[in-house]
Amino acid sequence: MLTYIILSLGIIFGAYHHIIPYQIAGSIFILSTLSIFLCKKYANPKTNLIKLGLIFICGYSYSTFRFDYRASEQLTQSISQINLNGYVNSPTQIKNDFYQTIFHITDGKFKGKDIILYYNGESNTMQPTYNYKIKASLQAIKSGYNEEGFDNGQYLFAKNIFAKSYLKIKPQKLDKNYSFNSIVNGIRVSIIQYLNQTLASQKYSGLFIAMVTGYQGEISTQEWDIYRQTGISHLVSVSGLPLGIITISFAFIFNLLCKVFPTSKIPRQVLTAYASIIFAAFYAFISGFGIPTQRVLFMIIIASYMLINRNHISLMYKLIISLSLVLLFDPFAIFSIGFWFSYILIATMFIVTTLYSKSNTLKLWFIMQLAVALSTIPLSLYYFSSTSISSPLANLWAIPIIGNILTPLMFICSILHITPIVTLLCYLLNYAMVAIEILSDIPMYWQTKPNLANVLLSYLGIILLITPLPFRGKNIFAGLLIISIIFSYQKNKLSNGQASITLFSNQNIGYAIITTQNQYSLVINRNNNENINKNFASVVLPYLHAKNINKIDHFFSNQNESALIKDIINNNIEIININKSLVKFDDIQIAKTQNGKAMSLQVKTKLNTSYIGNCLKTDTQDLNNIFILMPQKSCQWVLDGKYDNLIINTDYEHKHEVDFILNNLSLDAENAENLYQANSTSIIIN
């Protein structure tokens, strides 16, 4: 078991610290692998220790090679009007009035690569299992919003999507495609279409489709809020537990059939094991081959292999082997929150099962519920700065009823197109969700984002609490370790008269947060009619929650944001003042000027004057810092001054003008930064 743990740690470490070029990493991997075989030949205590070190290096170099090689193949510059042949590799969904799909390229310079493809018009919709010729302009994928928000660039990198494109010319349909990926996607799409037609009027049809196929495009924002508030988001995508239950049921039925129709050459158990692997693989691929299904699939393969060879290993051993297999197959999985939740939850269940295998059922059940509920809290606080108070009750209801009973039945009936039972199961799902809806009214717990050390201490406390050790005060000490996660303080305290200005990179809407000793101000600048609520939720809201900011003292915007203000208040963030022209607090002054949709703020501290706006020219002289949230007017006047900091959040429309300013020889700024490719930036002003 130690070998697999060390290998997994090496892969994880390499994923976060891949600093060696892939050519060197590949050589190190080969050399370390050969050295491991030499250590096996001359086995003794010293060589065993060396072997563990080599296994770590092997995992590290392998992970580094995979990451650096993929990074070297990413598109760095846009390519216009290129002909590409390929096929759609995912179900098509509608996002912001565009159709969105993954397009797999099958020939030419970019053969074997995936791009994310956007297009409009139903007449352009591309069908699965067909090849297409498209004329596309490829755009490089930029990294995401900020360190606390969702990093879309990292997500697409982990999915091996190297570019994106907006299709303007109708694609040319070619011949049928019989590749494995195309056939699997065709089956997924046909099931999705069947369920959409069958369950068109059902409230939770989107949840039904997601639990059967892993496709989440039919789930509304309101539904997502319910799942997050009750902590059952893990059920929305196909989880590993239903796969295990369905496969066990299949193995039982297949074994009975083998008894009725016996085979003379192959033992019944061996035939059942192979059939179970094939069935589990089919289910995993139809459901999108997510991390939970990967984990269970690998565990089924391991268990079947042990059965065929008449061996036996513990549940934890199987889990550790499956972990290393998942990481070898896809080291990029560590960027998925689902990866960490999946393995921590199942590891918790296996530990409790192993430690209390001889206990009575009621005691085992109680400890299992307590351990599972506790194990989700540190990760939730670390990733979301929040945790669901109702999660233990919600999961106590949802896992057995929805996950273990309904999901397997929904999958089987959907595959076989048994329409009356599919409709009945969706009715039952709607009724089962009533309890979840009631629990969603319980407010979530929010706090400052804890650091990694707090998270590890908390998990140490959970392990100590559930482990039956015979020393006095164990549970008290474990409890203190667990609750240490709530004592996460920010070092932020600014002096009176100081201000911290934080800008967030976003190509559509500009955001800034002004932090002083006692107050917070939010500045928003946009020049389009995009749905700002969803954008704000992915860009700024995670930052506010991570910093435990529950009050906006001053709200400034160049447009009427009444819908957004209502949404912010619904997220338990109070707004005190809206769009005042002049405010003074904590020895600083903020003055607002607006001309139509053009806006500027002058932020005066004791020693500095800073500009925040969208290039509306100001009469204020001697500006020390300029922060341009979203250029809307000419910014040429910026070249007339001398600045400590010039930060511009660049959109596509004004990219060339901004590049001209930042590269102009007349620009006199100690720090000039284009925020287009940055996550976020924060500057303290005296």
Side-chain angles (χ1 to χ4, degrees), residues 56-70:
F56 181 86
I57 293 170
C58 188
Y60 172 81
S61 56
Y62 170 78
S63 181
T64 299
F65 174 83
R66 291 284 303 273
F67 273 84
D68 197 60
Y69 182 76
R70 181 173 292 185

Side-chain angles (χ1 to χ4, degrees), residues 239-433:
S239 61
L241 201 54
L243 170 56
I245 292 169
I246 292 176
T247 306
I248 291 169
S249 303
F250 170 83
F252 177 76
I253 296 169
F254 189 88
N255 190 50
L256 287 178
L257 291 174
C258 287
K259 284 183 179 180
V260 177
F261 306 102
T263 57
S264 56
K265 293 183 179 180
I266 306 174
R268 188 177 72 250
Q269 293 84 351
V270 173
L271 199 59
T272 302
Y274 283 123
S276 298
I277 291 172
I278 294 169
F279 178 83
F282 171 76
Y283 181 97
F285 281 108
I286 291 302
S287 61
F289 206 55
I291 291 168
T293 52
Q294 288 178 33
R295 183 200 71 231
V296 175
L297 174 60
F298 285 131
M299 290 183 69
I300 289 169
I301 292 171
I302 295 163
S304 299
Y305 175 80
M306 293 297 165
L307 177 66
I308 292 167
N309 290 277
R310 300 179 184 277
N311 290 327
H312 173 75
I313 58 175
S314 66
L315 289 172
M316 283 303 297
Y317 205 163
K318 290 174 185 175
L319 183 66
I320 295 299
I321 295 174
S322 79
L323 171 64
S324 59
L325 287 175
V326 167
L327 290 173
L328 284 169
F329 177 78
D330 183 16
F332 309 94
I334 65 163
F335 291 140
S336 167
I337 297 172
F339 169 83
W340 298 106
F341 273 102
S342 175
Y343 272 98
I344 283 177
L345 277 172
I346 203 71
T348 302
M349 294 170 70
F350 283 3
I351 289 170
V352 172
T353 302
T354 303
L355 292 175
Y356 295 91
S357 58
K358 296 180 181 179
S359 301
N360 63 67
T361 305
L362 184 61
K363 182 179 180 181
L364 176 62
W365 178 85
F366 175 78
I367 295 174
M368 182 74 76
Q369 296 303 319
L370 175 65
V372 167
L374 287 175
S375 66
T376 61
I377 293 173
L379 265 187
S380 296
L381 292 176
Y382 182 73
Y383 280 112
F384 310 117
S385 303
S386 65
T387 188
S388 171
I389 297 173
S390 62
S391 177
L393 283 175
N395 279 284
L396 187 61
W397 170 259
I399 289 175
I401 302 298
I402 298 175
N404 297 355
I405 299 174
L406 291 181
T407 301
L409 293 173
M410 290 190 299
F411 176 79
I412 293 168
C413 295
S414 299
I415 292 292
L416 299 176
H417 285 31
I418 309 174
T419 302
I421 300 181
V422 167
T423 306
L424 174 63
L425 289 171
C426 195
Y427 275 117
L428 294 176
L429 178 63
N430 291 340
Y431 284 117
M433 286 298 297

Side-chain angles (χ1 to χ4, degrees), residues 38 59 97 124 137 151 161 222 266 302 332 342 359 364 379 430 438 456 523 630:
L38 284 174
D97 298 325
N124 290 340
S137 296
D151 191 335
I161 296 170
Q222 292 75 18
I266 306 174
I302 295 163
F332 309 94
S342 175
S359 301
L364 176 62
L379 265 187
N430 291 340
I438 294 169
L456 294 176
V523 188
M630 187 60 56

Side-chain angles (χ1 to χ4, degrees), residues 370-562:
L370 175 65
V372 167
L374 287 175
S375 66
T376 61
I377 293 173
L379 265 187
S380 296
L381 292 176
Y382 182 73
Y383 280 112
F384 310 117
S385 303
S386 65
T387 188
S388 171
I389 297 173
S390 62
S391 177
L393 283 175
N395 279 284
L396 187 61
W397 170 259
I399 289 175
I401 302 298
I402 298 175
N404 297 355
I405 299 174
L406 291 181
T407 301
L409 293 173
M410 290 190 299
F411 176 79
I412 293 168
C413 295
S414 299
I415 292 292
L416 299 176
H417 285 31
I418 309 174
T419 302
I421 300 181
V422 167
T423 306
L424 174 63
L425 289 171
C426 195
Y427 275 117
L428 294 176
L429 178 63
N430 291 340
Y431 284 117
M433 286 298 297
V434 171
I436 303 299
E437 290 174 358
I438 294 169
L439 291 172
S440 69
D441 292 332
I442 300 174
M444 298 183 72
Y445 167 73
W446 297 92
Q447 70 155 65
T448 305
K449 178 180 177 177
N451 57 43
L452 189 57
N454 287 109
V455 174
L456 294 176
L457 280 175
S458 188
Y459 274 117
L460 179 62
I462 293 170
I463 293 170
L464 191 60
L465 182 67
I466 65 176
T467 304
L469 296 174
F471 66 82
R472 195 174 178 182
K474 180 205 58 137
N475 290 345
I476 296 174
F477 181 62
L480 291 174
L481 288 176
I482 293 170
I483 66 172
S484 68
I485 199 167
I486 69 174
F487 299 107
S488 302
Y489 298 104
Q490 295 290 327
K491 297 179 181 178
N492 151 20
K493 280 302 177 187
L494 298 166
S495 303
N496 196 48
Q498 279 188 321
S500 172
I501 299 179
T502 303
L503 269 71
F504 303 90
S505 70
N506 187 290
Q507 64 189 28
N508 301 311
I509 304 168
Y511 301 98
I513 291 177
I514 306 169
T515 305
T516 64
Q517 188 178 38
N518 300 299
Q519 297 196 14
Y520 298 96
S521 303
L522 173 62
V523 188
I524 297 178
N525 183 186
R526 62 172 172 149
N527 54 5
N528 57 29
N529 295 319
E530 180 181 328
N531 181 0
I532 191 173
N533 295 49
K534 186 175 180 180
N535 191 292
F536 181 86
S538 61
V539 181
V540 182
L541 194 59
Y543 177 90
L544 297 177
H545 287 324
K547 303 299 181 185
N548 201 27
I549 299 172
N550 50 29
K551 182 181 68 170
I552 300 296
D553 298 278
H554 305 283
F555 181 96
F556 301 97
S557 179
N558 67 328
Q559 296 191 35
N560 179 14
E561 305 291 4
S562 55

